[in-house]
Amino acid sequence: MKKTVIGIIAHVDSGKTTLSEAMLYLSGKIRKVGRVDHGDAFLDTDMIEKNRGITVFSKPAEFEYKNTSFTLLDTPGHVDFSAETERALQVLDLAVLVISGTDGVQSHTQTLWRLLKRYNVPTFVFVNKMDLDGADKTFVMNSLEGRLGSGFVDFCRMKSEVAEDCALFDENIMNEFLETGSMSGTILSDAVAHRKVFPCFFGSALKSQGIEKFMNALAELAPCVYDSGTFGAKVYKISENGGSRLTFMKITGGCLKVRDLVDYTSSDGESSSEKVSRIRIYSGAKYRNADNAETGVVCAVEGLTKTYAGQGFGFEQDSAKPLLEPVLTYRVEPVCDLDMHTLLSYFRVLENEDPQLHVDWNEQLGEIHICIMGEVQLEILKSIFKLRFDIDIDFGEGSIAYKETIEKTVYGYGHYEPLRHYAEVHLKLEPLERGKGLRFATECSEDMLDKNWQRLILTHLQEKKYLGVLTGSPITDMKITLVSGRAHLKHTEGGDFRQATYRAVRQGLRNAKSVLLEPYYSFTLEVPQQNVGRAITDIQNMGGVFSQPEVSGEFSVIKGSAPVAEMRGYQSQVISYTKGVGKLICTSDGYRECHNTEVVLEEYGYDPDRDLENTADSVFCSHGAGYNVKWNEVPDKLHIPPEDKRRQVSQPQTYARAEDFVRRAASDKELMEIFERTYGKIERDKHYAMRRPEKSVKSASKPKQIYSGVEYLLVDGYNIIFSWDELKKAANESLDLARSMLVNRLCNYQGYKQCELILVFDAYKVKEQERVVENYHNISIVYTKEVETADTYIERTAHKLSREHKVRVATSDGMEQVIIMGSGAFRMSAQELHEDVIRVEKEIREYISNMK
């Protein structure tokens, strides 16, 4: 029997739960159709749902129809509980989007459509309430195509007409239709599965009209779950029932059995191995125990204590960051005399069940703050606390959940060195597009910091909610990259890098120009035509934007977006000035730059220097004791040169060096051939192609040299080849090719740097009995004796030259680097040489571009 998981989603009051009841009744699962307004719906089992008449929690139900085993998930329709809907979407094989026949596509419908697109869920559309006056099929189809896109096909027509319309959206259907004049169910099912066609059905769930035709199509076209043989599962919900912690999941591959041992990583990064003690298969409020759960089954598992929503087991990956985020913040106020830490523990339980219920503990104020989607959610939380914990709670005046980002790329530095501790971290903070959240990466060379330390730093970057420096709000839309760091062989411990990392992020934020972000609502405002002027004035005063009002009978519909801070409470005003007939629907529309930053900053009065828990200062050591260094003085005391100074080359010096190099290259035929292979053909006279006519051709004066004599650069050739990815790839095809590529790049590099460059290769790769030294244009290439390694030659030469000259050695051989430093030479890792070569090539290209 085919198995499939379907979900019913809709804008609130579209008849979603009523449709679920009709489907369960037609399949024979229930004997009586329940109603939401009567409080006896099969899937609205919670007392809160019965009392309020809305779906708050997603719940599964099993039924069979036409040789297909369905698992149906009924999801909340109210925007305040859309996070619950988003989690459920991740385990669906197919979604049923319910549209009101009188209202068409509404604001929250568009949000749901973006979620369906993001999670790539095939979708059927059921247009409900077609029995009501004002329901119009043409209006709904136009609304679907105008607001959601193409691919919607009315399946309540003759087969030939349906096939002809489907052919417009899928090439396979078109080919078959042109050949046979019809389409097969297999090809149509494939088009539905790939979201090319969205079948639309019309009816009335309350009166069971159109339900049978709709379910026949579901049984025929719904995607089937196939067993890969390898275990996989996706968690979509955490709940509690009768004191048991339940992990709701969909088995996506293999089979899960009672007493199976499940290995997984908890949300805090700890490895866990726990045994499945019980498997429940739910249908509404009832469940049955099962010995196993096979592919395609949605079940609730007991025995797993550290799971979380969005978690993947087996081959399944964890879900990406949710698209929908809470936008309102409230302070929790217990009505009775209750210890705040006990209350916090209860909130942590609920936060674990609903990850979008963000709970923050303010240690300084001794307060609990929560972030939620909307005010209806507050009433639900009060009811949950009373029913589950027998506690009465209230909430203080809400505020806006602001966020912060940065305007331009900056570097942040953290140093932590009290006595017998040591860690230094350098980070690069880059702004990202709105809505991208936080991303973390590393560009640090393993020659500078061991891989294990780098992994630890990345873990510390991800484990903390970092606060901005404007209002102390969380940061977002930023990429934070580890660029360098340092550990001590004896004194560094894991906690040292935690402190250095936290301080580096904060120090970078202090260096940056921060931007305050605020949440926006996307709204649909429906008012009588005589109130349009008042509505438009209000929206403009709120800093909102809107499109041209649409006339619908005696009403006008205005759509747009505005700051959440300004739209809060506007619903009551709409009801007042329209005498109860106006309607305002708001949905979350992401974050944008704050429209009144100065006002908000004054209200918050946040002082980052007083926030000692999020300090930007560093700790250094002197005379056996640690001492604090202010954040703005940290770059002057770092043990590794600051990135912005180490990597930055002044533009005048860059142009002078580049101009000097290309002028000399133009006068040397062989060097010019290498130059043009790298930077392209120069069509004009080579002697004057790359300098301004009005500029002198004299070389720019060189900076003062600290060392006497010529500067030398010794390069361990094969070490570099097998350290640079592009050369390593070339070496797999031909070692000669890789050598040639390295030689040509170093010729250009030497011409820019004006150092004596000696490139050394081991003789065992080039069979020579005696050492061979070649002068290749402007560099020297050494092939050592057959019994002599490149390391030996470089060590001896570096020791000899460093008496009178500044000598750098480019290699990533750890032992060789130690010996080099002992002989008075400077080490340069393969990665550092690679970065410098790329920088030189970039500067030369920029110079050439600016000279044109």
Side-chain angles (χ1 to χ4, degrees):
M1 181 177 291
K2 184 170 76 170
K3 292 181 180 179
T4 191
V5 179
I6 64 174
I8 311 294
I9 64 175
H11 186 98
V12 66
D13 292 333
S14 294
K16 170 182 51 59
T17 302
T18 306
L19 176 62
S20 301
E21 294 287 317
M23 293 171 64
L24 294 172
Y25 178 75
L26 183 62
S27 68
K29 178 68 179 180
I30 58 177
R31 297 181 180 181
K32 175 186 175 184
V33 178
R35 291 183 55 158
V36 175
D37 52 350
H38 292 171
D40 60 353
F42 181 76
L43 290 173
D44 281 350
T45 58
D46 195 279
M47 186 58 64
I48 297 173
E49 296 175 319
K50 293 178 182 291
N51 294 336
R52 296 191 66 95
I54 61 172
T55 301
V56 176
F57 310 103
S58 62
K59 290 170 288 296
E62 287 186 309
F63 68 90
E64 295 180 2
Y65 187 79
K66 298 282 187 180
N67 202 35
T68 301
S69 176
F70 288 95
T71 299
L72 183 148
L73 293 182
D74 185 26
T75 64
H78 200 285
V79 64
D80 284 16
F81 309 102
S82 51
E84 179 94 358
T85 301
E86 182 173 4
R87 290 192 292 273
L89 291 183
Q90 301 174 45
V91 298
L92 299 184
D93 299 312
L94 182 138
V96 177
L97 179 62
V98 184
I99 304 289
S100 169
T102 57
D103 297 323
V105 174
Q106 297 171 275
S107 56
H108 189 49
T109 310
Q110 294 175 287
T111 301
L112 294 172
W113 188 252
R114 290 201 302 270
L115 291 174
L116 291 168
K117 186 176 181 180
R118 183 191 193 197
Y119 295 109
N120 198 32
V121 182
T123 306
F124 274 41
V125 175
F126 185 82
V127 183
N128 195 24
K129 302 184 179 181
M130 292 301 294
D131 57 317
L132 299 181
D133 293 337
D136 187 343
K137 179 186 290 190
T138 303
F139 160 73
V140 173
M141 291 301 296
N142 290 338
S143 179
L144 287 168
E145 294 173 2
R147 299 185 184 180
L148 304 185
S150 61
F152 297 95
V153 178
D154 180 3
F155 270 57
C156 295
R157 295 177 300 162
M158 296 178 60
K159 288 186 178 181
S160 59
E161 294 176 329
V162 172
E164 185 175 357
D165 280 356
C166 290
L168 297 175
F169 306 112
D170 184 77
E171 186 176 350
N172 293 329
I173 296 178
M174 177 177 287
N175 292 335
E176 186 176 48
F177 181 73
L178 293 175
E179 291 178 6
T180 65
S182 62
M183 62 179 176
S184 64
T186 302
I187 290 183
L188 177 58
S189 179
D190 184 71
V192 171
H194 288 86
R195 287 180 53 86
K196 295 180 179 179
V197 173
F198 306 104
C200 300
F201 297 85
F202 297 81
S204 170
L206 186 62
K207 296 183 178 179
S208 296
Q209 296 174 358
I211 305 300
E212 185 173 1
K213 182 169 185 153
F214 168 66
M215 291 187 63
N216 289 340
L218 276 179
E220 180 183 1
L221 302 177
C224 180
V225 178
Y226 294 100
D227 186 3
S228 62
T230 305
F231 174 70
K234 176 59 70 75
V235 178
Y236 74 94
K237 178 181 176 180
I238 305 295
S239 184
E240 187 174 310
N241 184 275
S244 299
R245 186 179 191 274
L246 303 177
T247 301
F248 283 82
M249 65 179 73
K250 175 190 175 184
I251 310 300
T252 57
C255 179
L256 181 67
K257 300 178 181 178
V258 175
R259 292 186 293 278
D260 274 356
L261 200 63
V262 179
D263 298 321
Y264 64 94
T265 302
S266 63
S267 58
D268 56 8
E270 295 182 2
S271 297
S272 295
S273 183
E274 297 180 309
K275 187 177 293 185
V276 175
S277 59
R278 182 181 294 182
I279 297 176
R280 300 181 180 184
I281 310 295
Y282 270 87
S283 277
K286 299 179 180 179
Y287 68 88
R288 59 182 174 86
N289 292 322
D291 294 330
N292 59 71
E294 299 178 342
T295 300
V297 171
V298 173
C299 60
V301 175
E302 293 183 39
L304 307 181
T305 62
K306 299 179 181 179
T307 51
Y308 55 91
Q311 186 174 26
F313 292 142
F315 63 80
E316 287 285 356
Q317 299 294 318
D318 286 359
S319 300
K321 181 181 177 182
L323 180 66
L324 303 178
E325 294 184 89
V327 297
L328 300 175
T329 301
Y330 290 85
R331 182 182 67 255
V332 180
E333 297 177 346
V335 175
C336 57
D337 186 16
L338 181 68
D339 178 65
M340 293 300 289
H341 288 86
T342 301
L343 184 60
L344 178 62
S345 66
Y346 294 149
F347 268 102
R348 293 299 185 200
V349 172
L350 298 182
E351 184 183 33
N352 192 33
E353 297 176 6
D354 181 2
Q356 290 304 86
L357 173 63
H358 294 179
V359 180
D360 290 323
W361 168 250
N362 190 310
E363 185 71 37
Q364 293 177 323
L365 300 177
E367 295 177 346
I368 300 173
H369 293 200
I370 62 169
C371 292
I372 60 173
M373 297 293 292
E375 296 180 0
V376 175
Q377 197 173 355
L378 291 181
E379 299 302 319
I380 299 299
L381 282 172
K382 291 179 183 180
S383 301
I384 290 175
F385 262 85
K386 185 63 178 177
L387 289 173
R388 289 182 58 173
F389 309 116
D390 195 25
I391 294 174
D392 292 315
I393 60 172
D394 206 346
F395 298 94
E397 184 178 351
S399 60
I400 302 301
Y402 292 98
K403 293 189 178 184
E404 297 181 28
T405 187
I406 58 176
E407 190 174 278
K408 295 181 181 179
T409 299
V410 295
Y411 290 94
Y413 308 105
H415 188 96
Y416 187 69
E417 192 188 0
L419 185 62
R420 295 190 180 89
H421 294 270
Y422 186 93
E424 183 166 301
V425 174
H426 294 203
L427 302 174
K428 179 169 64 175
L429 285 67
E430 304 170 89
L432 295 178
E433 296 178 8
R434 295 289 175 265
K436 294 297 183 180
L438 293 177
R439 297 181 181 179
F440 307 98
T442 178
E443 294 176 357
C444 183
S445 168
E446 291 185 38
D447 300 328
M448 179 171 290
L449 191 63
D450 187 78
K451 193 70 174 179
N452 289 331
W453 291 127
Q454 293 189 36
R455 290 197 189 101
L456 182 61
I457 292 171
L458 290 176
T459 299
H460 293 324
L461 284 173
Q462 298 175 48
E463 70 187 4
K464 180 179 172 66
K465 183 175 76 172
Y466 293 97
L467 304 182
V469 297
L470 296 178
T471 61
S473 300
I475 61 172
T476 188
D477 300 341
M478 201 180 304
K479 181 180 180 182
I480 303 179
T481 305
L482 171 66
V483 291
S484 62
R486 179 172 290 179
H488 191 279
L489 187 62
K490 182 179 180 181
H491 296 308
T492 299
E493 300 177 356
D496 299 342
F497 272 110
R498 176 184 290 109
Q499 286 291 332
T501 302
Y502 291 176
R503 295 165 191 264
V505 174
R506 190 71 169 177
Q507 201 269 349
L509 294 174
R510 295 300 300 268
N511 286 328
K513 182 178 180 181
S514 294
V515 179
L516 185 65
L517 304 177
E518 67 175 337
Y520 267 64
Y521 275 147
S522 173
F523 66 83
T524 300
L525 177 59
E526 183 177 319
V527 296
Q529 292 189 26
Q530 64 266 26
N531 298 126
V532 170
R534 161 70 188 271
I536 290 177
T537 300
D538 287 348
I539 295 169
Q540 291 173 336
N541 291 337
M542 290 187 290
V545 294
F546 56 93
S547 57
Q548 184 72 23
E550 302 174 6
V551 178
S552 177
E554 297 179 356
F555 288 83
S556 287
V557 179
I558 306 173
K559 297 177 182 178
S561 60
V564 171
E566 303 291 347
M567 291 290 289
R568 291 181 65 195
Y570 187 58
Q571 174 72 57
S572 59
Q573 295 184 42
V574 172
I575 294 174
S576 176
Y577 72 73
T578 63
K579 295 180 172 54
V581 297
K583 184 170 26 175
L584 175 66
I585 301 172
C586 297
T587 56
S588 178
D589 195 26
Y591 277 75
R592 305 176 196 174
E593 189 167 343
C594 185
H595 75 291
N596 59 340
T597 299
E598 296 301 325
V599 175
V600 175
L601 295 185
E602 187 175 350
E603 289 178 354
Y604 269 74
Y606 179 74
D607 184 356
D609 288 325
R610 293 187 177 182
D611 190 350
L612 300 182
E613 291 187 1
N614 298 281
T615 180
D617 302 342
S618 284
V619 178
F620 287 80
C621 188
S622 178
H623 304 294
Y627 67 97
N628 192 70
V629 174
K630 293 297 293 182
W631 66 271
N632 54 334
E633 300 173 3
V634 169
D636 297 329
K637 296 184 177 293
L638 294 172
H639 293 183
I640 305 173
E643 301 300 310
D644 48 358
K645 294 182 180 178
R646 183 165 67 89
R647 300 186 179 206
Q648 186 177 12
V649 178
S650 65
Q651 200 72 355
Q653 183 182 353
T654 299
Y655 278 1
R657 283 195 172 196
E659 182 177 6
D660 185 51
F661 167 51
V662 298
R663 179 182 58 79
R664 285 182 284 99
S667 64
D668 187 302
K669 181 179 179 181
E670 293 179 337
L671 278 180
M672 199 61 190
E673 291 177 357
I674 296 174
F675 182 92
E676 290 186 339
R677 282 200 296 270
T678 304
Y679 302 105
K681 183 72 173 175
I682 305 300
E683 300 297 338
R684 293 177 287 163
D685 183 86
K686 295 179 175 57
H687 290 279
Y688 300 98
M690 290 166 289
R691 65 180 178 86
R692 299 180 189 271
E694 67 274 12
K695 281 207 170 190
S696 168
V697 296
K698 292 182 180 180
S699 299
S701 60
K702 296 181 179 179
K704 293 182 180 180
Q705 294 185 356
I706 300 175
Y707 296 84
S708 61
V710 180
E711 180 179 338
Y712 280 84
L713 174 61
L714 301 175
V715 180
D716 188 341
Y718 289 118
N719 184 277
I720 299 299
I721 285 176
F722 292 103
S723 296
W724 294 7
D725 291 340
E726 64 271 30
L727 296 183
K728 186 176 181 180
K729 184 178 180 181
N732 292 333
E733 301 177 5
S734 169
L735 197 56
D736 289 336
L737 173 62
R739 273 199 304 265
S740 177
M741 290 171 63
L742 177 60
V743 167
N744 286 336
R745 294 185 74 175
L746 292 182
C747 280
N748 289 323
Y749 180 72
Q750 188 280 335
Y752 180 94
K753 286 289 193 179
Q754 283 298 285
C755 60
E756 288 293 332
L757 195 151
I758 303 174
L759 178 60
V760 185
F761 291 106
D762 287 308
Y764 74 92
K765 304 237 180 178
V766 181
K767 297 297 182 183
E768 296 287 349
Q769 296 298 322
E770 298 296 329
R771 182 187 304 138
V772 176
V773 180
E774 296 179 356
N775 291 320
Y776 185 81
H777 306 310
N778 54 340
I779 68 174
S780 299
I781 304 178
V782 176
Y783 296 97
T784 64
K785 299 177 183 178
E786 190 169 7
V787 294
E788 180 184 37
T789 65
D791 295 355
T792 304
Y793 177 85
I794 290 173
E795 291 161 12
R796 185 170 57 252
T797 305
H799 180 74
K800 180 179 179 180
L801 292 174
S802 61
R803 297 171 184 171
E804 298 181 359
H805 305 274
K806 180 178 181 179
V807 180
R808 292 186 181 276
V809 178
T811 180
S812 286
D813 187 307
M815 184 60 69
E816 188 176 353
Q817 289 179 340
V818 174
I819 297 173
I820 289 162
M821 294 178 67
S823 66
F826 295 86
R827 68 183 181 90
M828 188 180 196
S829 70
Q831 181 64 28
E832 289 174 327
L833 177 62
H834 190 248
E835 291 175 356
D836 207 32
V837 168
I838 291 175
R839 179 183 62 79
V840 165
E841 293 173 346
K842 178 182 177 182
E843 290 170 357
I844 294 172
R845 287 191 174 94
E846 288 178 352
Y847 170 77
I848 295 172
S849 176
N850 290 328
M851 292 301 102
K852 291 181 180 179

